[in-house]
Amino acid sequence: MGKGISIVVKDQGQGFDLTQCPIPRLPRTVGADHGRGIWVMKSVMDEVSFECNGTEVRMRKAPKSQPRPECEAPMK
């Protein structure tokens, strides 16, 4: 597995049906009282999956490649 961060969040609730969550950018759903968190997760993270009927969320974020400072010599 590569570098980065993986996050797993588990909930004891009933879960949810991802197909029923609104997309908060659409005009008819912009005022919905739920769905924004899922949209934010998918926008920010590189990978997001919902397991166990929505009671477990797995997210992964890969590191960004940082430009090397000009004074730092490349490694050989």
Side-chain angles (χ1 to χ4, degrees):
M1 184 177 281
K3 294 182 179 181
I5 185 168
S6 292
I7 301 168
V8 177
V9 179
K10 295 181 180 183
D11 186 298
Q12 295 177 348
Q14 305 255 337
F16 65 96
D17 181 358
L18 185 60
T19 65
Q20 298 301 311
C21 290
I23 300 169
R25 298 178 309 160
L26 299 176
R28 62 178 163 65
T29 59
V30 76
D33 60 354
H34 62 284
R36 284 183 214 56
I38 293 169
W39 180 80
V40 169
M41 284 187 282
K42 288 182 172 184
S43 297
V44 174
M45 302 303 280
D46 294 314
E47 298 173 25
V48 177
S49 66
F50 300 92
E51 310 294 331
C52 303
N53 295 320
T55 61
E56 183 175 305
V57 181
R58 296 177 177 266
M59 299 171 273
R60 184 174 181 289
K61 183 69 175 175
K64 288 187 176 184
S65 58
Q66 298 289 330
R68 200 173 29 234
E70 290 181 27
C71 62
E72 185 178 311
M75 296 182 71
K76 293 184 180 183

